Amino acid sequence: MNQEDPEFDVIDPLLAEVMTGWREETPTDADVDWDRLRTAILRDATLPLARLHRRSCWYFSRTIAPIAAAAGIAFLLWVGPGVYRERLAPAPEAALPDGIMEIDEGTLLRVLTSDLSEGDFLRLVNGGPESMLSVAIKSP
Amino acid sequence: MTSPEGEPTDTRLAQAVQRGDVVAYELLVRRHMNRAFSLAQRLLGHRQDAEDMVQETFLAALEKISTFDPTREFSPWFYRILVNRCLNARKTRTRRATVQIPEGVATDFASPLIDTERSELREHIQDAIMRLPERQQEIFVMSDFNGFSSPEIAEAMGISDGTVRWHLHQARRTLREALEPYARRNI
């Protein structure tokens, strides 16, 4: 008999009768202490459930957390340069106090490397920019 | 994933149990404890054995909950574990643990039988079930004792529906043959 046979799933009446009676018979469970049984089942489950919970947390920390951290870093790299360029950019140069002139680097080097007399050097150190300029002009 | 009444489905609860949710586990126990006991008592024929078996089966199911596939039904998966354990226990336990066929069942279709014959018939059916190949026993019990459909059993066992139906057919045929002498006697 193969599965296409219409008789395939038909149960023999005698066997069906036995099984129906068997299935419908409710076992006597009046003596069962359901609360005690449930308590025992739940007590057995304490450790395995704790283990599953721990494993679930571990899984989170080992998979989701790194992904979140990587996403955060990616976001900062994407958004960050604009923000940080502004923050890290040098502040606008403050106005120099009165009486102080700016001297360009070339002039300064020329003054310092020139063959200054003692007097000129002291004037240069103690004096303002004007004296430095005059020294620079004098120097070859 | 909830039932029409708003209660979480067994599958949803099992998924929560996979994460160690105590409340979900307790709900599953409450839902299935009575039915599991009822089936275990039928298969083992002894109240205390059935209680122990239900307790052991819930623990075994919890130990292997990570293997439960949430795209499938929880119930066939769980009862398959119970049926397997009951059948194994029957093999290893003494004849004290026997499948209980209610007295009335035998009387219904074989009323002329005297007590000795009735007892003999019960023994024959019990022996025939236990002589079935393991897979046939499992499928027969899940189907004809526990009322699972062949697609449900197929899902739980990871085999095709056709294979389940084939094993079921073979099991029923074998059991029918075991009943044959008694049927002939009562014609």
Side-chain angles (χ1 to χ4, degrees), chain B residues 47-72:
Chain B
R47 186 181 63 78
Q48 189 55 53
D49 286 350
E51 279 191 43
D52 292 345
M53 184 54 73
V54 169
Q55 192 176 337
E56 285 169 25
T57 302
F58 271 108
L59 181 60
L62 183 58
E63 296 282 3
K64 57 168 79 171
I65 192 75
S66 56
T67 67
F68 169 68
D69 178 358
T71 61
R72 295 181 168 184

PDB file of all heavy atoms in Angstrom, chain B residues 47-72:
ATOM      1  N   ARG B  47       1.333   6.745  38.661  1.00  0.00           N
ATOM      2  CA  ARG B  47       1.235   8.174  38.961  1.00  0.00           C
ATOM      3  C   ARG B  47       2.573   8.779  39.363  1.00  0.00           C
ATOM      4  O   ARG B  47       2.986   9.815  38.848  1.00  0.00           O
ATOM      5  CB  ARG B  47       0.212   8.411  40.077  1.00  0.00           C
ATOM      6  CG  ARG B  47      -0.057   9.879  40.351  1.00  0.00           C
ATOM      7  CD  ARG B  47      -1.067  10.044  41.481  1.00  0.00           C
ATOM      8  NE  ARG B  47      -0.560   9.502  42.743  1.00  0.00           N
ATOM      9  CZ  ARG B  47       0.318  10.128  43.505  1.00  0.00           C
ATOM     10  NH1 ARG B  47       0.788  11.301  43.160  1.00  0.00           N
ATOM     11  NH2 ARG B  47       0.744   9.579  44.632  1.00  0.00           N
ATOM     12  N   GLN B  48       3.266   8.120  40.286  1.00  0.00           N
ATOM     13  CA  GLN B  48       4.523   8.697  40.766  1.00  0.00           C
ATOM     14  C   GLN B  48       5.572   8.749  39.652  1.00  0.00           C
ATOM     15  O   GLN B  48       6.294   9.743  39.504  1.00  0.00           O
ATOM     16  CB  GLN B  48       5.060   7.896  41.964  1.00  0.00           C
ATOM     17  CG  GLN B  48       6.250   8.561  42.663  1.00  0.00           C
ATOM     18  CD  GLN B  48       5.948  10.000  43.103  1.00  0.00           C
ATOM     19  OE1 GLN B  48       4.957  10.245  43.788  1.00  0.00           O
ATOM     20  NE2 GLN B  48       6.790  10.949  42.690  1.00  0.00           N
ATOM     21  N   ASP B  49       5.606   7.678  38.844  1.00  0.00           N
ATOM     22  CA  ASP B  49       6.533   7.673  37.712  1.00  0.00           C
ATOM     23  C   ASP B  49       6.208   8.823  36.756  1.00  0.00           C
ATOM     24  O   ASP B  49       7.099   9.468  36.207  1.00  0.00           O
ATOM     25  CB  ASP B  49       6.442   6.353  36.935  1.00  0.00           C
ATOM     26  CG  ASP B  49       7.096   5.211  37.701  1.00  0.00           C
ATOM     27  OD1 ASP B  49       7.763   5.494  38.716  1.00  0.00           O
ATOM     28  OD2 ASP B  49       6.917   4.043  37.296  1.00  0.00           O
ATOM     29  N   ALA B  50       4.909   9.042  36.550  1.00  0.00           N
ATOM     30  CA  ALA B  50       4.491  10.110  35.634  1.00  0.00           C
ATOM     31  C   ALA B  50       4.902  11.477  36.179  1.00  0.00           C
ATOM     32  O   ALA B  50       5.381  12.329  35.427  1.00  0.00           O
ATOM     33  CB  ALA B  50       2.984  10.052  35.430  1.00  0.00           C
ATOM     34  N   GLU B  51       4.733  11.682  37.468  1.00  0.00           N
ATOM     35  CA  GLU B  51       5.146  12.968  38.073  1.00  0.00           C
ATOM     36  C   GLU B  51       6.642  13.187  37.895  1.00  0.00           C
ATOM     37  O   GLU B  51       7.086  14.263  37.487  1.00  0.00           O
ATOM     38  CB  GLU B  51       4.802  12.975  39.573  1.00  0.00           C
ATOM     39  CG  GLU B  51       3.354  13.302  39.867  1.00  0.00           C
ATOM     40  CD  GLU B  51       3.132  13.557  41.354  1.00  0.00           C
ATOM     41  OE1 GLU B  51       3.958  14.246  41.991  1.00  0.00           O
ATOM     42  OE2 GLU B  51       2.135  13.045  41.868  1.00  0.00           O
ATOM     43  N   ASP B  52       7.399  12.141  38.201  1.00  0.00           N
ATOM     44  CA  ASP B  52       8.858  12.240  38.053  1.00  0.00           C
ATOM     45  C   ASP B  52       9.229  12.537  36.603  1.00  0.00           C
ATOM     46  O   ASP B  52      10.112  13.345  36.324  1.00  0.00           O
ATOM     47  CB  ASP B  52       9.541  10.935  38.493  1.00  0.00           C
ATOM     48  CG  ASP B  52       9.405  10.708  39.986  1.00  0.00           C
ATOM     49  OD1 ASP B  52       9.049  11.673  40.700  1.00  0.00           O
ATOM     50  OD2 ASP B  52       9.637   9.564  40.439  1.00  0.00           O
ATOM     51  N   MET B  53       8.518  11.851  35.694  1.00  0.00           N
ATOM     52  CA  MET B  53       8.839  12.013  34.276  1.00  0.00           C
ATOM     53  C   MET B  53       8.536  13.430  33.802  1.00  0.00           C
ATOM     54  O   MET B  53       9.310  14.022  33.042  1.00  0.00           O
ATOM     55  CB  MET B  53       8.042  10.988  33.447  1.00  0.00           C
ATOM     56  CG  MET B  53       8.351  10.994  31.976  1.00  0.00           C
ATOM     57  SD  MET B  53      10.104  10.806  31.614  1.00  0.00           S
ATOM     58  CE  MET B  53      10.341   9.065  32.013  1.00  0.00           C
ATOM     59  N   VAL B  54       7.417  13.986  34.257  1.00  0.00           N
ATOM     60  CA  VAL B  54       7.065  15.358  33.862  1.00  0.00           C
ATOM     61  C   VAL B  54       8.131  16.327  34.366  1.00  0.00           C
ATOM     62  O   VAL B  54       8.602  17.201  33.630  1.00  0.00           O
ATOM     63  CB  VAL B  54       5.667  15.731  34.413  1.00  0.00           C
ATOM     64  CG1 VAL B  54       5.395  17.223  34.243  1.00  0.00           C
ATOM     65  CG2 VAL B  54       4.601  14.926  33.698  1.00  0.00           C
ATOM     66  N   GLN B  55       8.525  16.129  35.618  1.00  0.00           N
ATOM     67  CA  GLN B  55       9.552  17.003  36.212  1.00  0.00           C
ATOM     68  C   GLN B  55      10.867  16.902  35.418  1.00  0.00           C
ATOM     69  O   GLN B  55      11.469  17.902  35.058  1.00  0.00           O
ATOM     70  CB  GLN B  55       9.764  16.595  37.672  1.00  0.00           C
ATOM     71  CG  GLN B  55      10.569  17.593  38.468  1.00  0.00           C
ATOM     72  CD  GLN B  55      10.669  17.185  39.936  1.00  0.00           C
ATOM     73  OE1 GLN B  55       9.827  16.430  40.430  1.00  0.00           O
ATOM     74  NE2 GLN B  55      11.683  17.681  40.623  1.00  0.00           N
ATOM     75  N   GLU B  56      11.263  15.668  35.126  1.00  0.00           N
ATOM     76  CA  GLU B  56      12.516  15.446  34.377  1.00  0.00           C
ATOM     77  C   GLU B  56      12.427  16.027  32.959  1.00  0.00           C
ATOM     78  O   GLU B  56      13.392  16.581  32.447  1.00  0.00           O
ATOM     79  CB  GLU B  56      12.802  13.945  34.258  1.00  0.00           C
ATOM     80  CG  GLU B  56      13.309  13.300  35.526  1.00  0.00           C
ATOM     81  CD  GLU B  56      13.314  11.775  35.401  1.00  0.00           C
ATOM     82  OE1 GLU B  56      13.385  11.266  34.267  1.00  0.00           O
ATOM     83  OE2 GLU B  56      13.227  11.092  36.447  1.00  0.00           O
ATOM     84  N   THR B  57      11.240  15.877  32.358  1.00  0.00           N
ATOM     85  CA  THR B  57      11.096  16.334  30.975  1.00  0.00           C
ATOM     86  C   THR B  57      11.163  17.856  30.876  1.00  0.00           C
ATOM     87  O   THR B  57      11.773  18.397  29.951  1.00  0.00           O
ATOM     88  CB  THR B  57       9.777  15.819  30.368  1.00  0.00           C
ATOM     89  OG1 THR B  57       9.763  14.401  30.443  1.00  0.00           O
ATOM     90  CG2 THR B  57       9.627  16.252  28.919  1.00  0.00           C
ATOM     91  N   PHE B  58      10.539  18.545  31.825  1.00  0.00           N
ATOM     92  CA  PHE B  58      10.627  20.013  31.799  1.00  0.00           C
ATOM     93  C   PHE B  58      12.087  20.451  31.935  1.00  0.00           C
ATOM     94  O   PHE B  58      12.523  21.386  31.259  1.00  0.00           O
ATOM     95  CB  PHE B  58       9.771  20.632  32.907  1.00  0.00           C
ATOM     96  CG  PHE B  58       8.350  20.890  32.468  1.00  0.00           C
ATOM     97  CD1 PHE B  58       7.315  20.114  32.948  1.00  0.00           C
ATOM     98  CD2 PHE B  58       8.061  21.903  31.557  1.00  0.00           C
ATOM     99  CE1 PHE B  58       6.004  20.341  32.534  1.00  0.00           C
ATOM    100  CE2 PHE B  58       6.758  22.129  31.136  1.00  0.00           C
ATOM    101  CZ  PHE B  58       5.722  21.349  31.628  1.00  0.00           C
ATOM    102  N   LEU B  59      12.810  19.773  32.796  1.00  0.00           N
ATOM    103  CA  LEU B  59      14.225  20.137  32.970  1.00  0.00           C
ATOM    104  C   LEU B  59      15.020  19.827  31.692  1.00  0.00           C
ATOM    105  O   LEU B  59      15.824  20.640  31.238  1.00  0.00           O
ATOM    106  CB  LEU B  59      14.818  19.383  34.171  1.00  0.00           C
ATOM    107  CG  LEU B  59      16.278  19.685  34.481  1.00  0.00           C
ATOM    108  CD1 LEU B  59      16.480  21.170  34.782  1.00  0.00           C
ATOM    109  CD2 LEU B  59      16.770  18.851  35.663  1.00  0.00           C
ATOM    110  N   ALA B  60      14.732  18.643  31.110  1.00  0.00           N
ATOM    111  CA  ALA B  60      15.446  18.265  29.870  1.00  0.00           C
ATOM    112  C   ALA B  60      15.150  19.263  28.753  1.00  0.00           C
ATOM    113  O   ALA B  60      16.041  19.643  27.992  1.00  0.00           O
ATOM    114  CB  ALA B  60      15.021  16.862  29.449  1.00  0.00           C
ATOM    115  N   ALA B  61      13.882  19.674  28.672  1.00  0.00           N
ATOM    116  CA  ALA B  61      13.510  20.649  27.629  1.00  0.00           C
ATOM    117  C   ALA B  61      14.237  21.971  27.855  1.00  0.00           C
ATOM    118  O   ALA B  61      14.681  22.613  26.903  1.00  0.00           O
ATOM    119  CB  ALA B  61      12.000  20.864  27.635  1.00  0.00           C
ATOM    120  N   LEU B  62      14.353  22.360  29.117  1.00  0.00           N
ATOM    121  CA  LEU B  62      15.046  23.619  29.425  1.00  0.00           C
ATOM    122  C   LEU B  62      16.531  23.516  29.064  1.00  0.00           C
ATOM    123  O   LEU B  62      17.118  24.457  28.530  1.00  0.00           O
ATOM    124  CB  LEU B  62      14.873  23.932  30.918  1.00  0.00           C
ATOM    125  CG  LEU B  62      15.456  25.245  31.415  1.00  0.00           C
ATOM    126  CD1 LEU B  62      14.874  26.435  30.670  1.00  0.00           C
ATOM    127  CD2 LEU B  62      15.205  25.402  32.916  1.00  0.00           C
ATOM    128  N   GLU B  63      17.098  22.354  29.344  1.00  0.00           N
ATOM    129  CA  GLU B  63      18.530  22.166  29.046  1.00  0.00           C
ATOM    130  C   GLU B  63      18.811  22.267  27.543  1.00  0.00           C
ATOM    131  O   GLU B  63      19.894  22.624  27.139  1.00  0.00           O
ATOM    132  CB  GLU B  63      19.014  20.796  29.551  1.00  0.00           C
ATOM    133  CG  GLU B  63      18.953  20.608  31.070  1.00  0.00           C
ATOM    134  CD  GLU B  63      20.086  21.298  31.812  1.00  0.00           C
ATOM    135  OE1 GLU B  63      20.890  21.977  31.165  1.00  0.00           O
ATOM    136  OE2 GLU B  63      20.140  21.157  33.049  1.00  0.00           O
ATOM    137  N   LYS B  64      17.798  21.866  26.736  1.00  0.00           N
ATOM    138  CA  LYS B  64      18.040  21.898  25.286  1.00  0.00           C
ATOM    139  C   LYS B  64      17.197  22.971  24.597  1.00  0.00           C
ATOM    140  O   LYS B  64      16.950  22.894  23.394  1.00  0.00           O
ATOM    141  CB  LYS B  64      17.845  20.525  24.664  1.00  0.00           C
ATOM    142  CG  LYS B  64      16.490  19.897  24.887  1.00  0.00           C
ATOM    143  CD  LYS B  64      16.308  18.675  23.997  1.00  0.00           C
ATOM    144  CE  LYS B  64      17.020  17.445  24.542  1.00  0.00           C
ATOM    145  NZ  LYS B  64      16.691  16.228  23.836  1.00  0.00           N
ATOM    146  N   ILE B  65      16.763  23.983  25.367  1.00  0.00           N
ATOM    147  CA  ILE B  65      15.890  25.024  24.797  1.00  0.00           C
ATOM    148  C   ILE B  65      16.589  25.810  23.681  1.00  0.00           C
ATOM    149  O   ILE B  65      15.942  26.329  22.781  1.00  0.00           O
ATOM    150  CB  ILE B  65      15.374  25.982  25.905  1.00  0.00           C
ATOM    151  CG1 ILE B  65      14.233  26.877  25.383  1.00  0.00           C
ATOM    152  CG2 ILE B  65      16.491  26.858  26.451  1.00  0.00           C
ATOM    153  CD1 ILE B  65      12.939  26.194  25.221  1.00  0.00           C
ATOM    154  N   SER B  66      17.921  25.847  23.739  1.00  0.00           N
ATOM    155  CA  SER B  66      18.637  26.596  22.696  1.00  0.00           C
ATOM    156  C   SER B  66      18.505  25.923  21.331  1.00  0.00           C
ATOM    157  O   SER B  66      18.714  26.555  20.305  1.00  0.00           O
ATOM    158  CB  SER B  66      20.107  26.759  23.070  1.00  0.00           C
ATOM    159  OG  SER B  66      20.669  25.498  23.293  1.00  0.00           O
ATOM    160  N   THR B  67      18.135  24.637  21.325  1.00  0.00           N
ATOM    161  CA  THR B  67      17.968  23.934  20.050  1.00  0.00           C
ATOM    162  C   THR B  67      16.560  24.125  19.486  1.00  0.00           C
ATOM    163  O   THR B  67      16.288  23.700  18.368  1.00  0.00           O
ATOM    164  CB  THR B  67      18.227  22.423  20.188  1.00  0.00           C
ATOM    165  OG1 THR B  67      17.189  21.864  21.017  1.00  0.00           O
ATOM    166  CG2 THR B  67      19.580  22.143  20.808  1.00  0.00           C
ATOM    167  N   PHE B  68      15.687  24.730  20.285  1.00  0.00           N
ATOM    168  CA  PHE B  68      14.309  24.931  19.802  1.00  0.00           C
ATOM    169  C   PHE B  68      14.306  25.985  18.701  1.00  0.00           C
ATOM    170  O   PHE B  68      14.879  27.064  18.862  1.00  0.00           O
ATOM    171  CB  PHE B  68      13.392  25.352  20.960  1.00  0.00           C
ATOM    172  CG  PHE B  68      12.044  25.816  20.506  1.00  0.00           C
ATOM    173  CD1 PHE B  68      11.150  24.921  19.944  1.00  0.00           C
ATOM    174  CD2 PHE B  68      11.674  27.146  20.601  1.00  0.00           C
ATOM    175  CE1 PHE B  68       9.910  25.348  19.490  1.00  0.00           C
ATOM    176  CE2 PHE B  68      10.444  27.584  20.155  1.00  0.00           C
ATOM    177  CZ  PHE B  68       9.561  26.677  19.604  1.00  0.00           C
ATOM    178  N   ASP B  69      13.649  25.651  17.598  1.00  0.00           N
ATOM    179  CA  ASP B  69      13.588  26.561  16.453  1.00  0.00           C
ATOM    180  C   ASP B  69      12.302  27.399  16.560  1.00  0.00           C
ATOM    181  O   ASP B  69      11.203  26.856  16.427  1.00  0.00           O
ATOM    182  CB  ASP B  69      13.586  25.728  15.164  1.00  0.00           C
ATOM    183  CG  ASP B  69      13.463  26.588  13.925  1.00  0.00           C
ATOM    184  OD1 ASP B  69      13.338  27.816  14.047  1.00  0.00           O
ATOM    185  OD2 ASP B  69      13.505  26.007  12.815  1.00  0.00           O
ATOM    186  N   PRO B  70      12.432  28.706  16.801  1.00  0.00           N
ATOM    187  CA  PRO B  70      11.238  29.546  17.027  1.00  0.00           C
ATOM    188  C   PRO B  70      10.333  29.677  15.803  1.00  0.00           C
ATOM    189  O   PRO B  70       9.236  30.195  15.921  1.00  0.00           O
ATOM    190  CB  PRO B  70      11.816  30.914  17.391  1.00  0.00           C
ATOM    191  CG  PRO B  70      13.256  30.713  17.620  1.00  0.00           C
ATOM    192  CD  PRO B  70      13.666  29.481  16.903  1.00  0.00           C
ATOM    193  N   THR B  71      10.785  29.188  14.648  1.00  0.00           N
ATOM    194  CA  THR B  71       9.885  29.240  13.492  1.00  0.00           C
ATOM    195  C   THR B  71       8.921  28.050  13.508  1.00  0.00           C
ATOM    196  O   THR B  71       8.044  27.948  12.670  1.00  0.00           O
ATOM    197  CB  THR B  71      10.671  29.221  12.166  1.00  0.00           C
ATOM    198  OG1 THR B  71      11.409  27.996  12.090  1.00  0.00           O
ATOM    199  CG2 THR B  71      11.632  30.397  12.074  1.00  0.00           C
ATOM    200  N   ARG B  72       9.123  27.152  14.475  1.00  0.00           N
ATOM    201  CA  ARG B  72       8.250  25.974  14.572  1.00  0.00           C
ATOM    202  C   ARG B  72       7.396  26.046  15.833  1.00  0.00           C
ATOM    203  O   ARG B  72       7.622  26.879  16.690  1.00  0.00           O
ATOM    204  CB  ARG B  72       9.098  24.703  14.564  1.00  0.00           C
ATOM    205  CG  ARG B  72       9.813  24.552  13.252  1.00  0.00           C
ATOM    206  CD  ARG B  72      10.640  23.308  13.211  1.00  0.00           C
ATOM    207  NE  ARG B  72      11.084  23.055  11.847  1.00  0.00           N
ATOM    208  CZ  ARG B  72      11.771  21.996  11.472  1.00  0.00           C
ATOM    209  NH1 ARG B  72      12.075  21.076  12.349  1.00  0.00           N
ATOM    210  NH2 ARG B  72      12.139  21.848  10.230  1.00  0.00           N
TER     211      ARG B  72
END
